[in-house]
């Protein structure tokens, strides 16, 4: 029985089969076809490995150590909401923070996927390539994900041209079911501002909301954006605010001590709140400045 299967666990007469590899050429061909299609639809330039990575010793101003620690604290806290919106003063600062967080989470075995939007790179400014790129990384990083993926689309040859919600169902939501790997795992989305349109930005948040609602203990997202008012307004909409914490990155040398309050997951309007008190000379009176 199961002559073409490996890693078969038998327990009390019940059979659990994991990571089945068939020598049948048709099965091998199907597997290779799926991987090839995902690779072709993915945005290679949006991967972490495609970004410019200055050494950590050259990043102290661009990636504030305190901000990095606050993100790590958010990720490790069971009371955190599953989505963190990081608003930074510049694209270079945000990207440096994103790259550093990827490296730290990789060291801990917690990094799952990343997408670095960039309007100057092919495929890196379109929502069209986001879902395949994330799914392609999850195959490599989450045990059992690929097996579930092939079952979820059941040989559908058009899965990559389906509407975005259908792609999320087939390539992410359904494959994550029955995953036994211990989470949470981290997905990072950098420079959401560079996504082609505000409508697509809203759609991305909508689909991320579906993922974290379905798998809140398995997947967490960090999304980095500029200080643009329209993005703050987007995240302030109730359907996103109820599942997200927010964090504002200070401009270099402008703000001093900072206090953070974790908004508990499920508490609705509770958010990260950060207070800043100037600690260097200014030409105007020293008064507390609060960001919410």
């Amino acid at each position: 029985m199961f002559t073409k299967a490996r890693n078969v666990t038998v327990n009390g007469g019940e059979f659990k089969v994991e990571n089945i590899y068939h020598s049948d050429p048709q099965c091998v061909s199907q597997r290779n076809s799926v991987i090839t299609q995902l690779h072709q639809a993915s945005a290679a330039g949006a991967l972490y490995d495609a970004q410019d990575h200055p050494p950590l010793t050259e990043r102290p101003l661009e990636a504030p150590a305190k901000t990095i620690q606050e993100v790590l604290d958010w990720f490790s806290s069971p009371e955190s909401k599953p989505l963190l919106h990081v608003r930074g003063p510049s694209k270079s600062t945000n990207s440096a923070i994103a790259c550093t967080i990827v490296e730290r989470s990789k060291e801990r075995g917690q990094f799952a996927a990343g997408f670095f939007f960039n309007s100057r790179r092919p495929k890196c400014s379109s929502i069209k390539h986001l879902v395949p790129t994330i799914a392609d990384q999850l195959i490599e990083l989450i045990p059992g994900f690929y097996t579930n993926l092939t079952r979820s689309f059941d040989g559908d040859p058009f899965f990559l041209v389906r509407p975005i919600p259908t792609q999320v169902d087939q390539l992410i939501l359904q494959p994550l079911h029955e995953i036994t790997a211990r989470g949470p795992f981290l997905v990072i989305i950098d420079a959401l501002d560079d996504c082609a349109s505000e409508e697509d930005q809203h759609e991305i948040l909508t689909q991320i909301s579906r993922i974290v609602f379905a798998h809140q203990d398995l997947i967490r997202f960090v999304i980095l954006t500029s200080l643009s008012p329209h993005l703050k307004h987007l995240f302030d909409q109730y359907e996103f605010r109820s599942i997200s914490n927010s964090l504002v990155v200070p401009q270099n040398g402008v703000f001093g001590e900072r206090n953070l309050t974790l908004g508990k997951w499920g508490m609705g309007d509770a958010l990260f709140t950060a207070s800043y008190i100037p600690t260097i000379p200014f030409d105007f009176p020293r008064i507390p400045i609060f960001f919410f």
Side-chain angles (χ1 to χ4, degrees):
M1 184 178 288
F2 305 126
T3 56
K4 294 182 179 181
R6 299 178 182 175
N7 301 329
V8 180
T9 301
V10 180
N11 183 15
E14 296 181 358
F15 296 89
K16 182 179 180 182
V17 183
E18 298 177 347
N19 299 326
I20 301 175
Y21 296 92
H22 293 282
S23 59
D24 181 75
Q26 184 176 355
C27 295
V28 173
S29 176
Q30 183 187 25
R31 180 182 188 277
N32 291 340
S33 175
V34 170
I35 293 177
T36 298
Q37 289 181 73
L38 280 177
H39 283 338
Q40 291 175 346
S42 297
L47 300 176
Y48 161 77
D49 293 336
Q51 311 310 309
D52 297 325
H53 306 306
L56 285 173
T57 54
E58 298 178 14
R59 294 187 210 168
L61 295 180
E62 287 193 314
K66 199 167 188 179
T67 299
I68 299 299
Q69 189 57 52
E70 287 164 348
V71 175
L72 295 175
D73 289 345
W74 161 85
F75 183 76
S76 61
S77 172
E79 294 190 342
S80 299
K81 298 179 183 180
L83 171 59
L84 177 63
H85 178 204
V86 179
R87 301 170 61 219
S90 70
K91 185 173 181 178
S92 61
T93 298
N94 287 355
S95 293
I97 291 171
C99 288
T100 305
I101 293 299
V102 169
E103 290 158 7
R104 297 287 180 84
S105 59
K106 277 189 169 185
E107 291 171 359
R108 302 178 181 191
Q110 296 169 327
F111 178 70
F115 195 100
F116 289 69
F117 279 99
N118 190 325
S119 58
R120 294 172 296 178
R121 290 187 173 187
K123 297 184 177 182
C124 296
S125 63
S126 171
I127 190 176
K128 175 181 177 182
H129 305 285
L130 175 64
V131 179
T133 303
I134 291 177
D136 198 26
Q137 295 170 81
L138 295 180
I139 286 176
E140 302 296 330
L141 296 167
I142 298 185
F145 186 87
Y146 174 75
T147 301
N148 292 351
L149 174 67
T150 56
R151 292 173 183 164
S152 70
F153 67 83
D154 194 25
D156 178 6
F158 304 108
F159 67 99
L160 289 175
V161 295
R162 300 297 184 195
I164 297 299
T166 304
Q167 287 189 29
V168 170
D169 285 338
Q170 293 183 327
L171 299 181
I172 298 179
L173 283 177
Q174 294 177 27
L176 285 176
H177 282 301
E178 300 180 6
I179 291 294
T180 58
R182 186 172 182 178
F185 295 98
L186 183 63
V187 177
I188 288 187
I189 308 293
D190 183 39
L192 183 62
D193 316 56
D194 276 6
C195 184
S197 70
E198 293 184 17
E199 181 180 352
D200 284 349
Q201 293 166 10
H202 186 280
E203 180 64 19
I204 287 170
L205 283 186
T206 299
Q207 298 309 317
I208 287 176
S209 299
R210 295 179 61 214
I211 295 170
V212 297
F213 269 121
H215 302 286
Q216 57 186 277
D217 295 327
L218 186 62
I219 297 288
R220 290 189 171 191
F221 281 80
V222 172
I223 301 179
L224 297 99
T225 74
S226 70
L227 298 173
S228 172
H230 95 268
L231 285 164
K232 182 179 185 302
H233 175 72
L234 176 60
F235 278 85
D236 281 346
Q237 295 181 29
Y238 180 76
E239 63 266 36
F240 306 132
R241 185 174 61 180
S242 63
I243 61 167
S244 66
N245 296 124
S246 64
L247 175 62
V248 180
V249 181
Q251 297 188 31
N252 294 332
V254 174
F255 298 115
E257 291 301 318
R258 163 182 241 179
N259 297 312
L260 283 164
T261 302
L262 271 172
K264 188 173 182 180
W265 167 235
M267 292 296 288
D269 294 341
L271 296 170
F272 265 116
T273 59
S275 62
Y276 300 92
I277 302 176
T279 57
I280 60 175
F282 286 90
D283 294 332
F284 49 84
R286 295 189 178 188
I287 58 175
I289 301 176
F290 299 90
F291 283 84
F292 296 93

